[in-house]
Amino acid sequence: MTSLFQRYDLGALTLPNRVVMAPMTRVRAAAGGLATPSMATYYAQRASAGLIVTEGVQPSLIGQSNPGTPGLHTDEQQESWRQVTDAVHANGGRIFAQLMHGGRVSHPDTTGFQPVGPSAVAAVGDVFTPTGPQPAPVPRALETAEVPEHARSYGDAARRAVDAGFDGVELHGANGYLISQFLSTNANLRSDGYGGSVANRIRFAVEAVSATVEAVGAARTGIRLSPGGTFWGVEETEVTELYTALLGELVRLDVAYVHIEATSDEEVLLKLRRAWPGTLVMNPVLPMGPKQTGRSDADHWLGLGADLISFGRAFIANPDLVERLRTGVPIAPVDEATYYQGGDAGYLTYPAHQYSA
C-alpha cells in the first residue's frame, strides 16, 4: 500500500512525502495586503510538508473576501511574498499560492467596492469586515463582457506568484467563493453562456484555469474543489455530472493536480477519482467541522487511490506535523480563539515536539 511518507513527483517537483499543508485563512497580512516576516516564519516552520498551499490570496482588490488577507495584484504585494518563498525554500520546502477571489463573499467596508458575483443573490451568513461581522450584501451581477476579466485575474496573479518565487498556484474553486458560485445552481441564475447548463456553469472555472495555465504552465497549476458543498449557502445540482464535466476539461488542460474536499459521499468522490486520471490531493474531513484529519483518514484515502493528503487545522498547532504522523506522537490541539485574532500568539508560538535521538 502507498505510504504517506513515500516520495511523489509533482511536475518538476519531487515531494519528500505525501503530506500537503492545506490552505487556511489566518488574516495576518499587513496593510495593503502585504506578506510579513511573521508569515515567512510561519510557513518556514512547516516546510517539512511535501507541499505547502498558502492561505487564500486575492488576485484583485474586488476579489478580497476578508480584511487582513494578503494579495498578489500589486508590485508591493508581489515583492513582499519573496521573503516567504525564500524562507520556505531555505528550509527545504515547496510552496504554492492559493488564489482566491471571494466574489459575493465580501463587503464594501473591506474593499471599497460592492462585491460581484454571477447573479444578484447574497451569500448566506455574516461576512467579516474591519468593524466585525455584517450580513453578506447583495452582489452586483457581472455583465457578460466583464466575466473574462475576472477569469484572467487568476492568471495575472499566478504570473506574479511565480515571479515572487512560488513553485506554483492553486485556484480556489471551492467553498462558495467565486468559481464555486459559478458552478452553483442557486448563486448562478444567469441565462447567458455562463449559466444554466452544466457546460455553461463550468465555463468560468475552465476559463480561469486556462488563463492560469497560459500564464505559468499546467505543471504549476492546481485547483481545489468541494463537490456538493454548501458553504455560504451555495447549492449544486447534478453534482456527479457537473464535476465529471469539469474534470474532463481539466484533463484536457493537463493541470498539476486536483484538490478535492470530502463534501460528498464516498461513492460520488470515487466516481470523480475515476474521472480524473492525474494527481489527486484529497482533503478527508470537512473544513471547520468537528474533526481534524488524522493518520487513519490519510491511509484510508491513499488506499482508495488518492496520491496526496492535505491536512488543515492539524498544521496550525503542529509545525512538525509530518514527524508526528511518522512517529505516532499525538497531534497537539489548536486554540481556535487565535485563528483570526492577528499577532504571533497562536501563530508562531506552537512548539515542535522534542524528539529523542
Side-chain angles (χ1 to χ4, degrees), residues 5 34 52 57 83 98 110 120 144 146 163-164 187 192-193 205 214 244 258 262 273 296 301 339 344:
F5 309 105
L34 303 181
I52 291 171
V57 181
Q83 64 192 311
Q98 191 193 61
T110 298
T144 302
E146 293 180 283
D163 288 347
D192 63 2
E214 183 177 346
T244 298
V258 172
R273 186 14 166 181
S296 61
W301 275 102
Y339 278 176
D344 289 346

Side-chain angles (χ1 to χ4, degrees), residues 64-138:
Q64 183 175 2
S65 181
N66 301 311
T69 55
L72 263 170
H73 54 88
T74 71
D75 291 345
E76 294 76 18
Q77 291 167 352
Q78 177 180 318
E79 182 58 31
S80 75
W81 279 107
R82 176 61 69 172
Q83 64 192 311
V84 177
T85 58
D86 283 351
V88 170
H89 291 148
N91 273 16
R94 299 134 299 276
I95 185 167
F96 274 37
Q98 191 193 61
L99 305 179
M100 172 183 153
H101 190 312
R104 68 179 186 169
V105 185
S106 184
H107 197 279
D109 289 358
T110 298
T111 65
F113 297 99
Q114 181 184 5
V116 296
S119 302
V121 180
V124 175
D126 290 347
V127 295
F128 294 103
T129 78
T131 56
Q134 296 191 49
V138 176

